[in-house]
Amino acid sequence: DLATALNNRGQIKYFRVEFAAAMEDYTAAIQCQPGFEVPYYNRGLVLYRLGCFDEAVKDFRKVLELNPQFEDAALSLKQAILDKEEKQKRGY
């Protein structure tokens, strides 16, 4: 289906370190199929790598709302929160 194809294309771009283009595909996949948790997770990973912790946390929480058993999302959520706190402690 289209959402899966967009997500997969986003993955290819992510592996090429084309983060902006990957996020466009993940967002398009979400718009196409809002209940599909995987593109939220993938977009959250890109946001996390870019240091956009608040936005990453939102995406990881949405994944867990859609699929509470998504363990990687739970781990990524915890890490994003910890890194955000560390960033704040250091005054960035």
Side-chain angles (χ1 to χ4, degrees):
D1 68 79
L2 182 58
T4 301
L6 288 165
N7 180 73
N8 291 347
R9 188 173 73 179
Q11 282 295 94
I12 292 165
K13 292 174 182 176
Y14 175 79
F15 291 132
R16 291 181 181 161
V17 196
E18 298 171 4
F19 292 149
M23 285 204 325
E24 287 176 14
D25 283 344
Y26 297 143
T27 300
I30 290 164
Q31 290 168 342
C32 185
Q33 190 177 336
F36 183 26
E37 72 273 20
V38 176
Y40 287 101
Y41 175 71
N42 290 331
R43 187 175 68 181
L45 289 177
V46 173
L47 290 164
Y48 172 82
R49 291 204 45 193
L50 294 174
C52 302
F53 299 123
D54 290 333
E55 294 90 342
V57 164
K58 278 186 205 170
D59 275 352
F60 295 143
R61 284 191 170 133
K62 182 65 177 180
V63 172
L64 293 169
E65 176 187 314
L66 294 168
N67 179 358
Q69 308 305 314
F70 201 124
E71 288 183 30
D72 286 344
L75 292 171
S76 295
L77 174 61
K78 287 179 190 171
Q79 192 60 54
I81 291 169
L82 287 172
D83 288 354
K84 178 186 171 189
E85 290 170 357
E86 186 63 30
K87 185 177 175 182
Q88 287 171 334
K89 280 184 204 169
R90 293 180 180 196
Y92 293 127

